[in-house]
Amino acid sequence: MNYDTLLSLIHHLGYAALYFALWLGIVGMPIPDEVVVMTGGAVTANGLLHSFPAFLLTYLGVISGLSLGYVLGRIFGTSVLDRLHRRKKLNKWLNFSETLVDKYGSFALCISYFFPIIRHVMPYVIGINKITFKRYALFSFTTGFVWTSIFFTVGYLVGDHAQEVGDLVYRYGLKLLWIPFVSAAVFFIIRYTSNQKKWQGRDKA
């Protein structure tokens, strides 16, 4: 499925298309989640869908897909892990996920949301480690809400460029997330310095 197919499905199925595209992301949909979520925001900007139900179905799609991974890991345990380890492409991501869980425990779920592949691998690892669903939901659903809000809003703002921006975020992950934070920090430092100079000038006068 490509981006045009996704848009076609949204035209025909509406909100349900957003939900199922993200719910199936756990089994390897060819379109990155970031692009799907941004597309949800973009189609509300052009009036195709209403913002609240589009956001709600998008968010439910995100947490439903990842929760499926947790349930599979919890039920089938190491057999799922062994099967995943047989996929050479997933080995390093599995090892990285296990390292994060060993180091940060449940907080690893929060970190994983901002790593495209790790986001889908982490629920399996968390489930295999027998972390309770209540604890899983606390960390995953909360971070999922924040993550969905960020990319849905970005999609709303960039509109027709959702695919390009989403692909960029998918490729560079956390590296791009530092840009707005650094920009904001620079802005506030410049503003603070400017205000200090103004106050110093007034004191001298």
Tab-separated table of all heavy atoms in Angstrom, residues 123-177:
chain	number	residue	atom	x	y	z
A	123	PRO	N	6.782	-3.333	22.570
A	123	PRO	CA	5.661	-3.990	23.254
A	123	PRO	C	5.849	-5.500	23.414
A	123	PRO	O	5.453	-6.063	24.440
A	123	PRO	CB	4.464	-3.672	22.345
A	123	PRO	CG	4.838	-2.404	21.662
A	123	PRO	CD	6.310	-2.510	21.435
A	124	TYR	N	6.444	-6.163	22.406
A	124	TYR	CA	6.725	-7.588	22.529
A	124	TYR	C	7.650	-7.851	23.724
A	124	TYR	O	7.410	-8.741	24.543
A	124	TYR	CB	7.402	-8.118	21.256
A	124	TYR	CG	6.524	-8.187	20.037
A	124	TYR	CD1	6.677	-7.277	18.998
A	124	TYR	CD2	5.551	-9.173	19.904
A	124	TYR	CE1	5.887	-7.341	17.864
A	124	TYR	CE2	4.756	-9.248	18.772
A	124	TYR	CZ	4.920	-8.325	17.748
A	124	TYR	OH	4.135	-8.396	16.631
A	125	VAL	N	8.728	-7.055	23.795
A	125	VAL	CA	9.727	-7.227	24.848
A	125	VAL	C	9.114	-6.957	26.219
A	125	VAL	O	9.353	-7.705	27.180
A	125	VAL	CB	10.944	-6.297	24.603
A	125	VAL	CG1	11.958	-6.424	25.735
A	125	VAL	CG2	11.597	-6.620	23.270
A	126	ILE	N	8.294	-5.912	26.308
A	126	ILE	CA	7.620	-5.580	27.570
A	126	ILE	C	6.684	-6.708	27.989
A	126	ILE	O	6.623	-7.099	29.159
A	126	ILE	CB	6.835	-4.258	27.432
A	126	ILE	CG1	7.808	-3.069	27.314
A	126	ILE	CG2	5.896	-4.045	28.612
A	126	ILE	CD1	8.600	-2.757	28.553
A	127	GLY	N	5.939	-7.252	27.027
A	127	GLY	CA	5.026	-8.354	27.316
A	127	GLY	C	5.754	-9.597	27.776
A	127	GLY	O	5.332	-10.283	28.716
A	128	ILE	N	6.879	-9.901	27.129
A	128	ILE	CA	7.681	-11.068	27.488
A	128	ILE	C	8.245	-10.928	28.895
A	128	ILE	O	8.384	-11.907	29.626
A	128	ILE	CB	8.820	-11.265	26.458
A	128	ILE	CG1	8.222	-11.728	25.121
A	128	ILE	CG2	9.863	-12.265	26.937
A	128	ILE	CD1	9.147	-11.583	23.952
A	129	ASN	N	8.538	-9.687	29.312
A	129	ASN	CA	9.065	-9.431	30.651
A	129	ASN	C	7.978	-9.434	31.731
A	129	ASN	O	8.254	-9.116	32.889
A	129	ASN	CB	9.812	-8.091	30.676
A	129	ASN	CG	11.228	-8.217	30.157
A	129	ASN	OD1	12.151	-8.498	30.903
A	129	ASN	ND2	11.412	-8.028	28.848
A	130	LYS	N	6.749	-9.779	31.322
A	130	LYS	CA	5.624	-9.949	32.260
A	130	LYS	C	5.255	-8.684	33.029
A	130	LYS	O	4.769	-8.751	34.167
A	130	LYS	CB	5.912	-11.079	33.257
A	130	LYS	CG	6.212	-12.423	32.607
A	130	LYS	CD	5.035	-12.939	31.799
A	130	LYS	CE	5.324	-14.302	31.184
A	130	LYS	NZ	4.219	-14.779	30.311
A	131	ILE	N	5.531	-7.535	32.441
A	131	ILE	CA	5.068	-6.282	33.051
A	131	ILE	C	3.543	-6.250	32.929
A	131	ILE	O	2.986	-6.568	31.882
A	131	ILE	CB	5.718	-5.072	32.355
A	131	ILE	CG1	7.216	-5.036	32.670
A	131	ILE	CG2	5.062	-3.759	32.775
A	131	ILE	CD1	8.003	-4.001	31.920
A	132	THR	N	2.850	-5.877	33.993
A	132	THR	CA	1.387	-5.922	33.998
A	132	THR	C	0.803	-4.986	32.940
A	132	THR	O	1.402	-3.963	32.592
A	132	THR	CB	0.828	-5.512	35.372
A	132	THR	OG1	1.175	-4.147	35.634
A	132	THR	CG2	1.367	-6.416	36.470
A	133	PHE	N	-0.390	-5.342	32.448
A	133	PHE	CA	-1.027	-4.513	31.425
A	133	PHE	C	-1.351	-3.127	31.979
A	133	PHE	O	-1.270	-2.134	31.261
A	133	PHE	CB	-2.312	-5.172	30.904
A	133	PHE	CG	-2.952	-4.376	29.801
A	133	PHE	CD1	-2.443	-4.417	28.510
A	133	PHE	CD2	-4.049	-3.560	30.060
A	133	PHE	CE1	-3.015	-3.667	27.488
A	133	PHE	CE2	-4.631	-2.805	29.053
A	133	PHE	CZ	-4.115	-2.867	27.758
A	134	LYS	N	-1.719	-3.068	33.260
A	134	LYS	CA	-2.027	-1.779	33.876
A	134	LYS	C	-0.828	-0.844	33.799
A	134	LYS	O	-0.958	0.334	33.458
A	134	LYS	CB	-2.442	-1.992	35.339
A	134	LYS	CG	-2.876	-0.723	36.043
A	134	LYS	CD	-3.319	-1.022	37.470
A	134	LYS	CE	-3.760	0.254	38.183
A	134	LYS	NZ	-4.183	-0.021	39.585
A	135	ARG	N	0.354	-1.375	34.097
A	135	ARG	CA	1.577	-0.568	34.043
A	135	ARG	C	1.944	-0.251	32.593
A	135	ARG	O	2.368	0.857	32.278
A	135	ARG	CB	2.726	-1.310	34.738
A	135	ARG	CG	3.974	-0.459	34.927
A	135	ARG	CD	4.942	-1.088	35.905
A	135	ARG	NE	6.121	-0.279	36.096
A	135	ARG	CZ	6.194	0.792	36.872
A	135	ARG	NH1	5.134	1.179	37.539
A	135	ARG	NH2	7.318	1.466	36.986
A	136	TYR	N	1.777	-1.246	31.725
A	136	TYR	CA	2.037	-1.024	30.297
A	136	TYR	C	1.164	0.109	29.763
A	136	TYR	O	1.637	1.021	29.100
A	136	TYR	CB	1.767	-2.312	29.505
A	136	TYR	CG	1.642	-2.064	28.021
A	136	TYR	CD1	2.769	-1.922	27.218
A	136	TYR	CD2	0.376	-1.928	27.434
A	136	TYR	CE1	2.648	-1.650	25.859
A	136	TYR	CE2	0.253	-1.662	26.082
A	136	TYR	CZ	1.387	-1.533	25.301
A	136	TYR	OH	1.270	-1.250	23.956
A	137	ALA	N	-0.142	0.040	30.087
A	137	ALA	CA	-1.088	1.046	29.592
A	137	ALA	C	-0.766	2.435	30.123
A	137	ALA	O	-0.871	3.432	29.394
A	137	ALA	CB	-2.514	0.648	29.986
A	138	LEU	N	-0.363	2.516	31.390
A	138	LEU	CA	-0.035	3.813	31.996
A	138	LEU	C	1.047	4.524	31.193
A	138	LEU	O	0.921	5.710	30.858
A	138	LEU	CB	0.432	3.604	33.441
A	138	LEU	CG	0.933	4.855	34.177
A	138	LEU	CD1	-0.193	5.851	34.359
A	138	LEU	CD2	1.540	4.478	35.525
A	139	PHE	N	2.112	3.803	30.860
A	139	PHE	CA	3.228	4.415	30.144
A	139	PHE	C	2.957	4.535	28.644
A	139	PHE	O	3.230	5.575	28.035
A	139	PHE	CB	4.510	3.605	30.373
A	139	PHE	CG	5.080	3.751	31.748
A	139	PHE	CD1	4.717	2.883	32.768
A	139	PHE	CD2	5.963	4.779	32.035
A	139	PHE	CE1	5.233	3.027	34.049
A	139	PHE	CE2	6.481	4.936	33.318
A	139	PHE	CZ	6.112	4.057	34.325
A	140	SER	N	2.419	3.472	28.061
A	140	SER	CA	2.235	3.449	26.610
A	140	SER	C	1.108	4.364	26.145
A	140	SER	O	1.273	5.129	25.190
A	140	SER	CB	1.963	2.018	26.131
A	140	SER	OG	1.866	1.985	24.725
A	141	PHE	N	-0.028	4.316	26.808
A	141	PHE	CA	-1.171	5.110	26.372
A	141	PHE	C	-0.934	6.606	26.573
A	141	PHE	O	-1.364	7.423	25.766
A	141	PHE	CB	-2.444	4.681	27.111
A	141	PHE	CG	-2.930	3.292	26.758
A	141	PHE	CD1	-2.183	2.464	25.929
A	141	PHE	CD2	-4.118	2.812	27.275
A	141	PHE	CE1	-2.613	1.181	25.608
A	141	PHE	CE2	-4.559	1.530	26.966
A	141	PHE	CZ	-3.806	0.712	26.130
A	142	THR	N	-0.247	6.947	27.675
A	142	THR	CA	0.043	8.368	27.935
A	142	THR	C	1.017	8.920	26.905
A	142	THR	O	0.782	9.978	26.310
A	142	THR	CB	0.629	8.543	29.348
A	142	THR	OG1	-0.259	7.975	30.307
A	142	THR	CG2	0.850	10.018	29.664
A	143	THR	N	2.115	8.195	26.695
A	143	THR	CA	3.098	8.652	25.710
A	143	THR	C	2.503	8.614	24.310
A	143	THR	O	2.775	9.500	23.486
A	143	THR	CB	4.357	7.761	25.747
A	143	THR	OG1	4.814	7.655	27.085
A	143	THR	CG2	5.466	8.348	24.881
A	144	GLY	N	1.671	7.603	24.047
A	144	GLY	CA	1.019	7.499	22.745
A	144	GLY	C	0.141	8.703	22.455
A	144	GLY	O	0.070	9.174	21.316
A	145	PHE	N	-0.530	9.216	23.477
A	145	PHE	CA	-1.381	10.398	23.307
A	145	PHE	C	-0.534	11.615	22.933
A	145	PHE	O	-0.883	12.371	22.023
A	145	PHE	CB	-2.160	10.682	24.593
A	145	PHE	CG	-3.107	11.841	24.482
A	145	PHE	CD1	-4.361	11.670	23.941
A	145	PHE	CD2	-2.722	13.105	24.911
A	145	PHE	CE1	-5.238	12.747	23.818
A	145	PHE	CE2	-3.584	14.182	24.799
A	145	PHE	CZ	-4.845	14.004	24.248
A	146	VAL	N	0.584	11.783	23.642
A	146	VAL	CA	1.486	12.907	23.352
A	146	VAL	C	2.070	12.766	21.949
A	146	VAL	O	2.080	13.719	21.160
A	146	VAL	CB	2.629	12.978	24.397
A	146	VAL	CG1	3.644	14.045	24.021
A	146	VAL	CG2	2.060	13.233	25.786
A	147	TRP	N	2.545	11.561	21.624
A	147	TRP	CA	3.162	11.297	20.317
A	147	TRP	C	2.170	11.540	19.182
A	147	TRP	O	2.488	12.204	18.194
A	147	TRP	CB	3.667	9.851	20.285
A	147	TRP	CG	4.391	9.455	19.041
A	147	TRP	CD1	5.723	9.602	18.784
A	147	TRP	CD2	3.810	8.838	17.880
A	147	TRP	NE1	6.014	9.108	17.531
A	147	TRP	CE2	4.866	8.643	16.958
A	147	TRP	CE3	2.529	8.435	17.536
A	147	TRP	CZ2	4.656	8.060	15.700
A	147	TRP	CZ3	2.310	7.867	16.299
A	147	TRP	CH2	3.370	7.682	15.397
A	148	THR	N	0.953	11.027	19.342
A	148	THR	CA	-0.080	11.210	18.314
A	148	THR	C	-0.435	12.681	18.170
A	148	THR	O	-0.607	13.179	17.046
A	148	THR	CB	-1.347	10.400	18.668
A	148	THR	OG1	-0.990	9.027	18.858
A	148	THR	CG2	-2.378	10.493	17.550
A	149	SER	N	-0.539	13.384	19.292
A	149	SER	CA	-0.877	14.819	19.264
A	149	SER	C	0.161	15.611	18.481
A	149	SER	O	-0.182	16.484	17.675
A	149	SER	CB	-0.977	15.370	20.687
A	149	SER	OG	-1.990	14.719	21.411
A	150	ILE	N	1.440	15.295	18.719
A	150	ILE	CA	2.526	16.019	18.038
A	150	ILE	C	2.435	15.834	16.527
A	150	ILE	O	2.393	16.809	15.759
A	150	ILE	CB	3.905	15.542	18.547
A	150	ILE	CG1	4.123	15.982	19.993
A	150	ILE	CG2	5.027	16.082	17.652
A	150	ILE	CD1	5.347	15.363	20.651
A	151	PHE	N	2.372	14.571	16.078
A	151	PHE	CA	2.419	14.312	14.641
A	151	PHE	C	1.100	14.656	13.944
A	151	PHE	O	1.106	15.061	12.782
A	151	PHE	CB	2.818	12.862	14.377
A	151	PHE	CG	4.272	12.603	14.651
A	151	PHE	CD1	4.667	11.945	15.804
A	151	PHE	CD2	5.248	13.067	13.781
A	151	PHE	CE1	6.010	11.738	16.074
A	151	PHE	CE2	6.587	12.862	14.047
A	151	PHE	CZ	6.978	12.194	15.189
A	152	PHE	N	-0.009	14.518	14.632
A	152	PHE	CA	-1.303	14.910	14.069
A	152	PHE	C	-1.325	16.425	13.835
A	152	PHE	O	-1.776	16.893	12.789
A	152	PHE	CB	-2.429	14.499	15.019
A	152	PHE	CG	-3.809	14.595	14.428
A	152	PHE	CD1	-4.366	13.515	13.764
A	152	PHE	CD2	-4.554	15.755	14.553
A	152	PHE	CE1	-5.650	13.591	13.221
A	152	PHE	CE2	-5.828	15.849	14.012
A	152	PHE	CZ	-6.390	14.763	13.344
A	153	THR	N	-0.823	17.177	14.813
A	153	THR	CA	-0.774	18.641	14.692
A	153	THR	C	0.172	19.072	13.587
A	153	THR	O	-0.144	19.974	12.797
A	153	THR	CB	-0.332	19.271	16.034
A	153	THR	OG1	-1.222	18.858	17.063
A	153	THR	CG2	-0.314	20.793	15.943
A	154	VAL	N	1.332	18.420	13.516
A	154	VAL	CA	2.289	18.729	12.443
A	154	VAL	C	1.648	18.458	11.084
A	154	VAL	O	1.770	19.261	10.148
A	154	VAL	CB	3.588	17.908	12.598
A	154	VAL	CG1	4.480	18.067	11.365
A	154	VAL	CG2	4.348	18.347	13.840
A	155	GLY	N	0.936	17.332	10.973
A	155	GLY	CA	0.249	17.006	9.727
A	155	GLY	C	-0.781	18.047	9.358
A	155	GLY	O	-0.914	18.419	8.186
A	156	TYR	N	-1.497	18.545	10.351
A	156	TYR	CA	-2.494	19.598	10.129
A	156	TYR	C	-1.821	20.862	9.580
A	156	TYR	O	-2.354	21.529	8.694
A	156	TYR	CB	-3.208	19.911	11.441
A	156	TYR	CG	-4.329	20.906	11.314
A	156	TYR	CD1	-5.636	20.489	11.050
A	156	TYR	CD2	-4.087	22.276	11.463
A	156	TYR	CE1	-6.665	21.409	10.930
A	156	TYR	CE2	-5.107	23.198	11.346
A	156	TYR	CZ	-6.401	22.764	11.072
A	156	TYR	OH	-7.422	23.681	10.945
A	157	LEU	N	-0.643	21.169	10.115
A	157	LEU	CA	0.060	22.392	9.719
A	157	LEU	C	0.725	22.285	8.346
A	157	LEU	O	0.743	23.239	7.581
A	157	LEU	CB	1.112	22.753	10.776
A	157	LEU	CG	0.566	23.118	12.163
A	157	LEU	CD1	1.708	23.296	13.149
A	157	LEU	CD2	-0.273	24.391	12.098
A	158	VAL	N	1.282	21.096	8.030
A	158	VAL	CA	2.008	20.960	6.754
A	158	VAL	C	1.091	20.565	5.607
A	158	VAL	O	1.463	20.672	4.430
A	158	VAL	CB	3.173	19.952	6.861
A	158	VAL	CG1	4.160	20.385	7.927
A	158	VAL	CG2	2.674	18.532	7.132
A	159	GLY	N	-0.115	20.067	5.918
A	159	GLY	CA	-1.108	19.765	4.894
A	159	GLY	C	-0.649	18.757	3.858
A	159	GLY	O	-0.322	17.620	4.178
A	160	ASP	N	-0.597	19.175	2.591
A	160	ASP	CA	-0.266	18.271	1.482
A	160	ASP	C	1.161	17.744	1.529
A	160	ASP	O	1.512	16.851	0.757
A	160	ASP	CB	-0.494	18.991	0.145
A	160	ASP	CG	-1.972	19.295	-0.085
A	160	ASP	OD1	-2.805	18.578	0.499
A	160	ASP	OD2	-2.278	20.244	-0.828
A	161	HIS	N	2.001	18.293	2.402
A	161	HIS	CA	3.398	17.842	2.503
A	161	HIS	C	3.584	16.792	3.605
A	161	HIS	O	4.710	16.495	3.989
A	161	HIS	CB	4.320	19.040	2.766
A	161	HIS	CG	4.258	20.084	1.692
A	161	HIS	ND1	4.795	19.890	0.439
A	161	HIS	CD2	3.678	21.315	1.683
A	161	HIS	CE1	4.577	20.974	-0.301
A	161	HIS	NE2	3.904	21.847	0.429
A	162	ALA	N	2.486	16.234	4.089
A	162	ALA	CA	2.539	15.263	5.190
A	162	ALA	C	3.421	14.061	4.858
A	162	ALA	O	4.181	13.579	5.701
A	162	ALA	CB	1.139	14.802	5.555
A	163	GLN	N	3.330	13.567	3.625
A	163	GLN	CA	4.116	12.382	3.266
A	163	GLN	C	5.615	12.660	3.339
A	163	GLN	O	6.380	11.886	3.924
A	163	GLN	CB	3.763	11.904	1.855
A	163	GLN	CG	4.532	10.644	1.452
A	163	GLN	CD	4.290	10.230	0.012
A	163	GLN	OE1	3.740	10.997	-0.781
A	163	GLN	NE2	4.693	9.023	-0.334
A	164	GLU	N	6.048	13.795	2.743
A	164	GLU	CA	7.474	14.126	2.725
A	164	GLU	C	8.017	14.348	4.136
A	164	GLU	O	9.077	13.826	4.493
A	164	GLU	CB	7.731	15.386	1.881
A	164	GLU	CG	7.414	15.214	0.408
A	164	GLU	CD	5.987	15.599	0.054
A	164	GLU	OE1	5.099	15.479	0.941
A	164	GLU	OE2	5.763	16.008	-1.092
A	165	VAL	N	7.273	15.106	4.959
A	165	VAL	CA	7.721	15.398	6.318
A	165	VAL	C	7.723	14.118	7.157
A	165	VAL	O	8.658	13.853	7.918
A	165	VAL	CB	6.817	16.463	6.984
A	165	VAL	CG1	7.224	16.688	8.439
A	165	VAL	CG2	6.903	17.772	6.208
A	166	GLY	N	6.689	13.295	7.002
A	166	GLY	CA	6.611	12.041	7.745
A	166	GLY	C	7.741	11.093	7.403
A	166	GLY	O	8.320	10.457	8.290
A	167	ASP	N	8.072	10.985	6.117
A	167	ASP	CA	9.185	10.124	5.688
A	167	ASP	C	10.509	10.610	6.275
A	167	ASP	O	11.365	9.815	6.661
A	167	ASP	CB	9.287	10.095	4.158
A	167	ASP	CG	8.226	9.190	3.530
A	167	ASP	OD1	7.772	8.254	4.217
A	167	ASP	OD2	7.859	9.428	2.371
A	168	LEU	N	10.660	11.934	6.353
A	168	LEU	CA	11.891	12.516	6.902
A	168	LEU	C	12.040	12.169	8.373
A	168	LEU	O	13.117	11.770	8.832
A	168	LEU	CB	11.840	14.042	6.753
A	168	LEU	CG	12.991	14.611	5.947
A	168	LEU	CD1	12.441	15.397	4.787
A	168	LEU	CD2	13.835	15.499	6.781
A	169	VAL	N	10.939	12.301	9.117
A	169	VAL	CA	10.963	11.976	10.544
A	169	VAL	C	11.227	10.491	10.743
A	169	VAL	O	11.977	10.090	11.638
A	169	VAL	CB	9.627	12.377	11.222
A	169	VAL	CG1	9.580	11.890	12.661
A	169	VAL	CG2	9.451	13.888	11.180
A	170	TYR	N	10.630	9.671	9.882
A	170	TYR	CA	10.830	8.218	9.982
A	170	TYR	C	12.298	7.851	9.773
A	170	TYR	O	12.837	6.995	10.457
A	170	TYR	CB	9.959	7.504	8.952
A	170	TYR	CG	10.079	5.999	8.994
A	170	TYR	CD1	9.421	5.256	9.962
A	170	TYR	CD2	10.867	5.317	8.063
A	170	TYR	CE1	9.529	3.879	10.012
A	170	TYR	CE2	10.979	3.940	8.103
A	170	TYR	CZ	10.309	3.224	9.071
A	170	TYR	OH	10.427	1.857	9.113
A	171	ARG	N	12.955	8.533	8.845
A	171	ARG	CA	14.362	8.226	8.555
A	171	ARG	C	15.295	8.700	9.652
A	171	ARG	O	16.245	8.018	10.017
A	171	ARG	CB	14.786	8.910	7.241
A	171	ARG	CG	14.322	8.182	5.999
A	171	ARG	CD	14.834	8.882	4.759
A	171	ARG	NE	13.962	8.613	3.621
A	171	ARG	CZ	14.012	9.280	2.497
A	171	ARG	NH1	14.852	10.276	2.352
A	171	ARG	NH2	13.213	8.967	1.498
A	172	TYR	N	15.032	9.896	10.166
A	172	TYR	CA	15.992	10.494	11.096
A	172	TYR	C	15.565	10.458	12.562
A	172	TYR	O	16.351	10.792	13.446
A	172	TYR	CB	16.287	11.936	10.670
A	172	TYR	CG	16.930	11.997	9.303
A	172	TYR	CD1	16.182	12.372	8.189
A	172	TYR	CD2	18.263	11.644	9.128
A	172	TYR	CE1	16.759	12.413	6.925
A	172	TYR	CE2	18.841	11.677	7.874
A	172	TYR	CZ	18.083	12.062	6.775
A	172	TYR	OH	18.652	12.085	5.530
A	173	GLY	N	14.312	10.056	12.811
A	173	GLY	CA	13.847	9.836	14.181
A	173	GLY	C	14.150	10.969	15.133
A	173	GLY	O	13.829	12.130	14.889
A	174	LEU	N	14.793	10.629	16.242
A	174	LEU	CA	15.059	11.584	17.318
A	174	LEU	C	15.920	12.763	16.896
A	174	LEU	O	15.845	13.824	17.492
A	174	LEU	CB	15.744	10.865	18.483
A	174	LEU	CG	14.831	10.099	19.435
A	174	LEU	CD1	15.668	9.377	20.467
A	174	LEU	CD2	13.854	11.030	20.119
A	175	LYS	N	16.737	12.584	15.862
A	175	LYS	CA	17.636	13.670	15.448
A	175	LYS	C	16.850	14.923	15.093
A	175	LYS	O	17.261	16.044	15.396
A	175	LYS	CB	18.476	13.229	14.252
A	175	LYS	CG	19.476	12.136	14.590
A	175	LYS	CD	20.243	11.700	13.356
A	175	LYS	CE	21.178	10.537	13.683
A	175	LYS	NZ	21.895	10.045	12.493
A	176	LEU	N	15.685	14.729	14.427
A	176	LEU	CA	14.876	15.876	14.032
A	176	LEU	C	14.121	16.481	15.208
A	176	LEU	O	13.798	17.656	15.188
A	176	LEU	CB	13.868	15.459	12.952
A	176	LEU	CG	14.442	15.234	11.554
A	176	LEU	CD1	13.329	14.803	10.612
A	176	LEU	CD2	15.100	16.487	11.019
A	177	LEU	N	13.843	15.674	16.220
A	177	LEU	CA	13.088	16.183	17.367
A	177	LEU	C	13.861	17.230	18.149
A	177	LEU	O	13.280	18.047	18.854
A	177	LEU	CB	12.696	15.032	18.299
A	177	LEU	CG	11.679	14.040	17.737
A	177	LEU	CD1	11.468	12.910	18.724
A	177	LEU	CD2	10.353	14.729	17.452
